[in-house]
């Protein structure tokens, strides 16, 4: 058969997703390549479910997020994500799990990160987010942070986090660090330790979270984030109602009014004394 490279990839994808299992990471890479070629190359006929996935383009975008995290200098994820057909040396999580979490929680309509319409900026903001999280939780022994439970929790938590961060209009690492630090301090109940590096060490509580527990932790963190936002709103309200310092003119007016008030009080007192004296003279 004399098939183009794109046609060969499509044939491989169809066979290995409908008849024979294929590594999901490889499948994601092929779907991403087809999404990239959708408008510029002729694609052979694809099963409807595959075509819809290709047309949405979310897998292709998620893979670009993961590639950036895995390659960018200064990234806490640098060389820690096991890519398709790559060696596992030093990897803590595979590409397919990370891509799946990004598609599920980050590239959604309710996550503000997907609304910038500037992929380079979105990449940098998402990297800054992980840098801020790592700055709070990674003490060199927080290995579970870089495994499935950490990825699932913090991709899910990115929805309320970026929603609150939009109000600040600042997406630097330093501005992001402040918010999770305050949030972790307000988490209550069984998961109050989520903001401490020890909680993310191997064999610690984070190691044994199942899907239900991850949802509960995320909900508690969201509640704590709301408390932080509420406290900030109260502070802003108090600052907004604080009296401005009086000008010299206003001070002079106030002194004059106080003096007039005092003089009026003295006149009333003097009048009352005279009235009392007259009454006494009338009785005598």
């Amino acid at each position: 058969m004399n098939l183009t490279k794109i046609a060969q990839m499509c044939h491989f994808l169809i066979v290995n997703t409908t008849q024979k299992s294929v590594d999901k990471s490889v499948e994601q890479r092929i779907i991403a390549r087809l999404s990239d070629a959708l408008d510029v190359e002729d694609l052979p006929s694809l099963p409807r479910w595959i075509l819809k996935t290709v047309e949405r383009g979310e897998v292709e975008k998620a893979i670009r997020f993961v590639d950036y995290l895995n390659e960018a200098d200064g990234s806490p994820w640098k060389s820690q994500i096991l890519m398709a057909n790559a060696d596992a040396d030093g990897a803590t999580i595979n590409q397919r799990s990370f891509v799946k979490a990004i598609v599920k929680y980050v590239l959604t309509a309710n996550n503000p990160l997907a609304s910038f319409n500037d992929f380079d900026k979105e990449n940098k903001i998402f990297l800054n987010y992980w840098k801020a999280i790592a700055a709070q939780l990674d003490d060199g022994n927080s290995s579970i942070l870089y495994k499935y439970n950490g990825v699932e929790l913090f991709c899910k938590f990115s929805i309320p986090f970026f929603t609150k961060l939009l109000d600040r209009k600042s997406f630097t690492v330093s501005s992001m660090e402040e918010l999770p630090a305050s949030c972790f301090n307000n988490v209550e109940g069984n998961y109050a330790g989520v903001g401490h590096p020890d909680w993310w060490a191997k064999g610690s509580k984070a190691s044994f979270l199942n899907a239900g527990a991850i949802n509960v932790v995320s909900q508690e963190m969201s509640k704590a984030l709301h408390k932080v936002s509420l406290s900030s709103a109260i502070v802003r309200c108090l600052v907004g109602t604080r009296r401005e310092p009086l000008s010299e003119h206003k001070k002079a007016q106030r002194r004059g009014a106080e003096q007039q008030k005092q003089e009026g009080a003295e006149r009333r007192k003097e009048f009352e004394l005279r009235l009392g004296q007259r009454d006494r003279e009338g009785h005598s």
Side-chain angles (χ1 to χ4, degrees):
M1 290 190 299
N2 187 20
L3 299 175
T4 65
K5 188 172 182 179
I6 285 289
Q8 292 177 38
M9 292 170 64
C10 290
H11 180 72
F12 177 85
L13 182 62
I14 293 169
V15 169
N16 286 282
T17 55
T18 58
Q19 300 178 23
K20 176 182 173 183
S21 178
V22 65
D23 182 354
K24 286 294 181 183
S25 294
V26 175
E27 177 185 325
Q28 289 170 348
R29 288 282 168 180
I30 294 174
I31 289 174
R33 176 67 180 87
L34 295 179
S35 294
D36 190 50
L38 192 60
D39 298 326
V40 293
E41 297 184 47
D42 293 325
L43 300 183
S45 179
L46 293 168
R48 182 173 296 179
W49 71 270
I50 294 179
L51 182 59
K52 285 185 176 180
T53 303
V54 170
E55 288 175 339
R56 284 197 300 268
E58 55 193 15
V59 172
E60 186 264 344
K61 191 172 183 179
I63 281 183
R64 290 167 65 190
F65 267 108
V66 170
D67 284 346
Y68 187 77
L69 289 176
N70 200 50
E71 297 169 4
D73 291 335
S75 171
W77 285 103
K78 189 174 178 65
S79 301
Q80 295 207 63
I81 305 171
L82 178 60
M83 300 301 188
N85 297 323
D87 294 332
D89 294 343
T92 60
I93 191 170
N94 56 55
Q95 168 203 298
R96 65 178 179 271
S97 296
F98 216 142
V99 166
K100 186 177 178 181
I102 290 174
V103 169
K104 187 176 181 182
Y105 301 117
V106 180
L107 302 179
T108 58
N110 62 337
N111 194 321
L113 184 64
S115 65
F116 284 98
N117 296 319
D118 182 337
F119 187 72
D120 289 338
K121 187 173 184 178
E122 291 169 10
N123 255 335
K124 291 174 182 176
I125 291 173
F126 195 53
L127 173 58
N128 285 352
Y129 171 65
W130 277 106
K131 285 182 177 180
I133 297 300
Q136 297 294 322
L137 302 180
D138 186 3
D139 65 351
N141 296 306
S142 309
S143 59
I144 307 303
L145 180 63
Y146 300 104
K147 293 187 179 294
Y148 175 85
N149 285 355
V151 169
E152 188 76 5
L153 176 61
F154 286 105
C155 281
K156 186 177 180 69
F157 181 65
S158 72
I159 297 173
F161 183 86
F162 285 123
T163 300
K164 296 299 181 186
L165 203 65
L166 274 181
D167 296 335
R168 304 188 176 197
K169 295 181 173 58
S170 177
F171 306 97
T172 62
V173 176
S174 57
S175 64
M176 288 193 195
E177 284 181 2
E178 178 188 348
L179 195 54
S182 301
C183 172
F184 292 145
N185 289 335
N186 282 280
V187 176
E188 300 175 350
N190 295 330
Y191 302 108
V194 67
H196 196 282
D198 289 348
W199 206 80
W200 293 95
K202 185 177 180 180
S204 66
K205 199 163 186 175
S207 302
F208 306 103
L209 297 176
N210 56 27
I214 289 174
N215 285 333
V216 174
V217 178
S218 179
Q219 290 170 7
E220 292 301 319
M221 289 169 60
S222 296
K223 291 178 184 177
L225 190 63
H226 178 69
K227 291 178 185 176
V228 172
S229 301
L230 186 61
S231 298
S232 299
I234 293 172
V235 170
R236 287 196 299 270
C237 180
L238 292 174
V239 170
T241 56
R242 185 182 299 161
R243 292 181 180 178
E244 294 294 329
L246 292 174
S247 65
E248 292 301 320
H249 177 66
K250 290 288 185 182
K251 288 179 180 178
Q253 285 183 325
R254 177 168 291 185
R255 284 196 297 269
E258 290 175 350
Q259 185 175 355
Q260 290 177 356
K261 184 178 179 181
Q262 184 177 358
E263 289 174 352
E266 290 176 352
R267 285 196 296 269
R268 284 194 299 272
K269 185 176 181 181
E270 183 179 355
F271 175 77
E272 290 171 356
L273 289 173
R274 288 178 179 177
L275 184 62
Q277 183 179 5
R278 189 174 62 184
D279 289 341
R280 287 193 297 273
E281 290 175 350
H283 288 296
S284 59

